[in-house]
């Protein structure tokens, strides 16, 4: 499986089917979840998140 970065906003409204997709992605091998809401104004945290995104082969934003 490709190395995937899963970007998730904590405060979103999604349908049950989309929630099922998110949960399946979370359980998949090679997926790194990045909670964008938890990064806040921390420049180091954003640098780390950006590095993970750039190192991934695919990026999914929800």
């Amino acid at each position: 499986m490709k190395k995937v970065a899963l970007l998730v906003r904590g405060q979103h409204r999604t349908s049950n089917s989309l929630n099922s997709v998110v949960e399946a992605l979370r359980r998949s091998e090679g997926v790194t979840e990045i909670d964008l809401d938890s990064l806040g104004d921390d420049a180091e945290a954003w640098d780390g998140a950006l590095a993970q995104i750039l190192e991934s082969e695919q990026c999914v934003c929800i």
Side-chain angles (χ1 to χ4, degrees), residues 2-14:
K2 291 183 176 182
K3 186 174 177 185
V4 178
L6 174 62
L7 309 179
V8 179
R9 291 285 317 262
Q11 299 202 0
H12 58 63
R13 291 190 174 98
T14 58

Side-chain angles (χ1 to χ4, degrees), residues 6-10 12 14 18-19 21-22 25 36 60-62:
L6 174 62
L7 309 179
V8 179
R9 291 285 317 262
H12 58 63
T14 58
L18 184 54
N19 281 334
V21 170
V22 171
L25 283 169
L36 297 177
V60 179
C61 185
I62 297 178

